[in-house]
């Protein structure tokens, strides 16, 4: 029998990730499958999340299930499938620990998501919402009141922003 070195079996974690990818939309918040996924070791959950990031398939469900709660920073640059539900997951997982949030180019995020962040993440000091056309000056005013440590804000390419919102940031 010949030894064929060009063929290798997939790793178990790769098979698990593929199975999750095929079935993730069928997992509801209250299902037994959800409870099993939440019991996965953090390292595996992080690996699953990175897989979805690399494949460009990050959405609200993936964030709620697999976003690793590590550090004080979350970057969702150009994750076009994300909405306010993802920010609710971030606020829930990070809360007061969150210091840096980048949601630039996430054009489904609205003032509702920013209100959740402002209410749950008072330690936020850096925020990038550039290219988020549904976020208005009202969010900036709210964040200025709730996140007293907010020092660095990028709100470029946000057509609903007005000068008054930035006035609140300077007070």
């Amino acid at each position: 029998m010949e030894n064929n070195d060009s063929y290798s079996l997939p790793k178990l974690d790769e098979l698990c990730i593929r199975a999750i990818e095929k079935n993730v939309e069928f997992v509801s918040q209250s299902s037994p499958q959800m409870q099993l996924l939440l019991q996965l070791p953090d390292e595996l959950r992080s690996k699953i999340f990175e897989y979805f990031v690399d494949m460009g398939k990050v959405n609200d469900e993936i964030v709620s299930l697999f976003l690793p709660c590590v550090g004080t920073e979350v970057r969702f640059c150009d994750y076009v499938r994300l909405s306010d539900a993802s920010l609710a997951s971030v606020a829930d997982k990070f809360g007061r620990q969150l210091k840096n949030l980048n949601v630039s180019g996430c054009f489904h995020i609205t003032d509702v998501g920013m209100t959740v962040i402002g209410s749950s993440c008072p330690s936020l000091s850096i925020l990038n919402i550039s290219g988020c056309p549904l976020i208005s000056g009202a969010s900036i005013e709210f964040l200025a009141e709730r996140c007293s440590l907010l020092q660095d804000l990028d709100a470029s390419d946000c057509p609903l922003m007005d000068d008054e919102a930035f006035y609140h940031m300077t007070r």
Side-chain angles (χ1 to χ4, degrees):
M1 189 169 222
E2 284 184 39
N3 183 5
N4 187 353
D5 290 332
S6 65
Y7 179 78
S8 65
L9 292 173
K11 295 180 181 176
L12 182 57
D13 58 352
E14 292 170 358
L15 291 172
C16 291
I17 290 170
R18 289 183 201 155
I20 289 168
E21 179 182 11
K22 286 182 179 179
N23 297 296
V24 73
E25 68 270 9
F26 302 114
V27 178
S28 69
Q29 293 292 331
S30 60
S31 70
Q33 295 91 341
M34 170 67 91
Q35 299 310 313
L36 289 173
L37 290 174
L38 293 175
Q39 293 175 15
L40 291 174
D42 289 339
E43 183 177 317
L44 182 55
R45 288 174 62 184
S46 182
K47 191 171 189 174
I48 292 168
F49 186 76
E50 288 304 316
Y51 169 82
F52 283 104
V53 168
D54 291 344
M55 298 302 290
K57 296 184 177 186
V58 174
N59 59 28
D60 294 331
E61 290 81 21
I62 298 302
V63 169
S64 70
L65 288 171
F66 301 112
L67 177 68
C69 185
V70 177
T72 60
E73 178 177 339
V74 174
R75 293 178 182 265
F76 287 145
C77 308
D78 299 317
Y79 290 7
V80 296
R81 296 180 177 179
L82 298 189
S83 71
D84 296 329
S86 290
L87 291 186
S89 294
V90 167
D92 185 49
K93 290 183 181 191
F94 285 83
R96 294 185 172 279
Q97 292 178 303
L98 186 66
K99 294 184 185 333
N100 183 345
L101 177 62
N102 186 336
V103 293
S104 60
C106 298
F107 52 81
H108 293 296
I109 292 177
T110 70
D111 289 337
V112 172
M114 289 293 100
T115 300
V116 170
I117 292 296
S119 297
S120 302
C121 307
S123 300
L124 189 67
S125 60
I126 301 170
L127 176 63
N128 186 338
I129 56 171
S130 62
C132 295
L134 302 177
I135 298 175
S136 73
S139 287
I140 302 307
E141 292 175 29
F142 183 79
L143 289 164
E145 291 173 11
R146 297 293 184 108
C147 302
S148 60
L149 301 176
L150 187 58
Q151 299 173 3
D152 187 352
L153 171 68
D154 183 350
S156 56
D157 298 321
C158 294
L160 299 178
M161 291 292 157
D162 55 17
D163 291 339
E164 187 166 329
F166 296 107
Y167 168 76
H168 287 278
M169 287 296 299
T170 61
R171 291 196 286 163

